[in-house]
Amino acid sequence: MTPRTAVVVGGGIGGLTAAGALARQGWQVRLRERQPEIRAVGAGIYLWDNGLFALESIGALAEAVEGAHKAPEMEMRTRSGRTLVRVKINGAGQPRCVTPPRTQLMKALVNAATAAGVEIVTDSPVHAVRPDGDVHLDHGQIESADLVVVADGVHSRLRDSVDLAYTRTRMSQGGARIMIPRSAHYLSAADGHKHLESFHGSRRLLCTPCTPRDLYLAFTCDSDDPGIDGSHIDVAEWTRSFPAFAKVLAATEGVPMIRWDTYEHVRLCSWSRGRVAFIGDAAHAQPPYLGQGGGTAMTNAIALATAVSRPTASLFDALAGWECRTRPGIERTQNTSYRMRLLNRVPDVVRDPLIRLAGLLPSTANSQLAATRIRPNLTTDDEDAK
Ligand SMILES: Cc1cc2nc3c(=O)[nH]c(=O)nc-3n(C[C@H](O)[C@H](O)[C@H](O)COP(=O)(O)OP(=O)(O)OC[C@H]3O[C@@H](n4cnc5c(N)ncnc54)[C@H](O)[C@@H]3O)c2cc1C
């Protein structure tokens, strides 16, 4: 039987996962990336249970997490360093969370996709897609596929080419990321292994060991915050906000930030139109308070590949079933993440006791951790009906 064909647009976390998962299900897959090479943007990345499961199911897990840090705990602290909430992770029965460098994750995704037979074409911008499966390339060239998966990121232009209605909310906050060498001198021996998160006013600082050599720092603040100065963070400003991190912050002096991203929330009226399906930030971008944009992109890619690979269903029924089963869970995660932006909007005297209280109420902590455990729903309509 001739294999069904798929074109995947975008060589980010979502597109590469979808391409690998489809190829493993027997599809003939071509991935088109507009950049001259597949690149990782960002420093480190939190991979929770759902992302780890997705990586495992496409054979990319071992390479993605090799040598990556597995913290014993994550803590939210006051700006002066007092612990408000402590969550144990990576032990038996506890949530899993691994924080590799993004470059390592991307390399593993490329290798897994290539091993599964995906043809990766770089320097290949897609200009438009059509519900009938046509993909418009440079010089008026058109290729057709049984399925087109669009994972072209939060600034997606292809959403417009199929006339999908959507809401895109640009937030006043954004994030800068920096990677510095790890050192035993920055924090106490125990703290040096933990994920530490602190808020002060409209600022949030996240300090994450990535590998034995690398420490990943993420700075959230308003776009017009004086603490972000062009391509650098203002060390004195951030040290005033977070004195307990003075040594870590001093080490960022002169280190250029990897980039600034304004946070966004995207909601499509529908995740598919005809033969075209949207996943990742193009479909459900969210601010990174839960570290779940990549996790949900991968989870949704696996669910999509599973749904459309059933031999009995029509593609259109499969896409409708996929969205119906997967969308509620992903939107819960997305909306929780979006609500968490309010943590950057309240004064410390209100926020710190609230965080402490939330940590004491298992239901609150559990509902946030539950978001990181949602796995792709791999059941089908037939199985649902049983
Ligand atoms: C500060 C910050 C921290 C984050 N931390 C985490 C975290 O810890 N854990 C987590 O899970 N998530 C995190 N995220 C979210 C995560 O980075 C994104 O959700 C994820 O990268 C989205 O992947 P994607 O494949 O949908 O899009 P992208 O990664 O944006 O990939 C889109 C790709 O499509 C290509 N493209 C675009 N247009 C075209 C076109 N027309 N033709 C061909 N190619 C095209 C682009 O070049 C790009 O390679 C964070 C985000 C931010 C901003």
Side-chain angles (χ1 to χ4, degrees):
M1 209 169 74
T2 325
R4 291 191 285 174
T5 56
V7 170
V8 177
V9 185
I13 294 173
L16 284 164
T17 307
L22 285 165
R24 285 168 75 98
Q25 298 266 11
W27 291 70
Q28 189 179 315
V29 185
R30 180 173 294 142
L31 180 146
R32 293 196 175 275
E33 165 56 48
R34 69 172 172 190
Q35 300 285 351
E37 57 187 349
I38 303 283
R39 286 192 318 194
V41 178
I45 185 159
Y46 281 68
L47 297 174
W48 291 91
D49 277 283
N50 55 351
L52 297 170
F53 171 79
L55 288 166
E56 191 171 19
S57 65
I58 55 167
L61 181 62
E63 187 182 353
V65 303
E66 192 187 350
H69 189 68
K70 282 189 193 159
E73 286 174 350
M74 53 191 308
E75 288 190 20
M76 289 176 92
R77 295 189 171 176
T78 62
R79 59 188 290 251
S80 55
R82 191 165 48 87
T83 300
L84 295 168
V85 175
R86 178 179 294 132
V87 179
K88 292 195 176 298
I89 52 178
N90 291 319
Q94 295 165 356
R96 286 188 301 160
C97 179
V98 190
T99 49
R102 281 197 187 230
T103 43
Q104 182 174 332
L105 169 65
M106 296 303 283
K107 196 158 165 263
L109 288 172
V110 168
N111 288 342
T114 309
V118 175
E119 180 193 357
I120 297 180
V121 188
T122 52
D123 235 337
S124 179
V126 170
H127 298 297
V129 292
R130 302 284 178 238
D132 63 2
D134 280 359
V135 176
H136 293 242
L137 309 168
D138 276 339
H139 313 299
Q141 197 193 336
I142 297 176
E143 71 181 344
S144 292
D146 295 311
L147 171 70
V148 180
V149 179
V150 177
D152 59 345
V154 66
H155 306 293
S156 172
R157 296 230 172 107
L158 300 184
R159 288 182 296 227
D160 295 323
S161 70
V162 287
D163 268 343
L164 266 187
Y166 58 90
T167 55
R168 179 178 178 191
T169 311
R170 282 173 76 82
M171 298 166 49
S172 55
Q173 294 115 316
R177 291 171 270 185
I178 287 182
M179 195 84 114
I180 57 172
R182 262 174 94 175
S183 163
H185 303 298
Y186 297 156
L187 298 160
S188 72
D191 283 354
H193 292 282
K194 296 177 184 170
H195 301 163
L196 301 175
E197 182 178 16
S198 262
F199 287 85
H200 172 52
S202 57
R203 292 180 181 160
R204 169 189 183 236
L205 177 66
L206 190 61
C207 180
T208 311
C210 258
T211 68
R213 295 171 309 285
D214 305 307
L215 183 67
Y216 161 43
L217 299 171
F219 303 81
T220 292
C221 59
D222 286 334
S223 309
D224 57 1
D225 189 303
I228 299 286
D229 166 22
S231 58
H232 290 78
I233 67 134
D234 183 326
V235 173
E237 275 282 336
W238 284 83
T239 307
R240 229 183 336 270
S241 283
F242 300 103
F245 289 90
K247 288 185 186 161
V248 180
L249 291 166
T252 68
E253 190 73 71
V255 179
M257 63 194 201
I258 289 167
R259 80 172 197 188
W260 169 266
D261 285 284
T262 300
Y263 297 162
E264 302 205 29
H265 180 278
V266 169
R267 188 173 194 281
L268 302 189
C269 69
S270 165
W271 280 355
S272 69
R273 166 109 350 138
R275 296 185 176 278
V276 183
F278 289 80
I279 59 164
D281 280 3
H284 39 77
Q286 56 191 282
Y289 288 97
L290 286 174
Q292 273 296 305
T296 51
M298 289 190 278
T299 303
N300 209 5
I302 302 292
L304 171 66
T306 307
V308 297
S309 301
R310 292 166 58 210
T312 50
S314 81
L315 181 76
F316 308 106
D317 288 346
L319 289 174
W322 157 66
E323 179 166 350
C324 188
R325 283 188 296 275
T326 314
R327 188 162 176 149
I330 288 193
E331 285 197 343
R332 256 198 311 280
T333 303
Q334 192 190 13
N335 293 338
T336 304
S337 230
Y338 188 54
R339 273 196 303 277
M340 286 176 74
R341 79 193 186 286
L342 298 174
L343 289 174
N344 276 118
R345 284 282 163 266
V346 286
D348 296 7
V349 286
V350 176
R351 180 183 46 237
D352 288 354
L354 275 178
I355 290 178
R356 198 168 163 66
L357 182 67
L360 294 173
L361 299 172
S363 55
T364 321
N366 285 345
S367 74
Q368 284 178 13
L369 286 171
T372 69
R373 287 179 154 167
I374 293 173
R375 290 188 173 188
N377 186 335
L378 302 181
T379 58
T380 62
D381 292 335
D382 300 344
E383 285 158 0
D384 286 346
K386 277 180 196 166

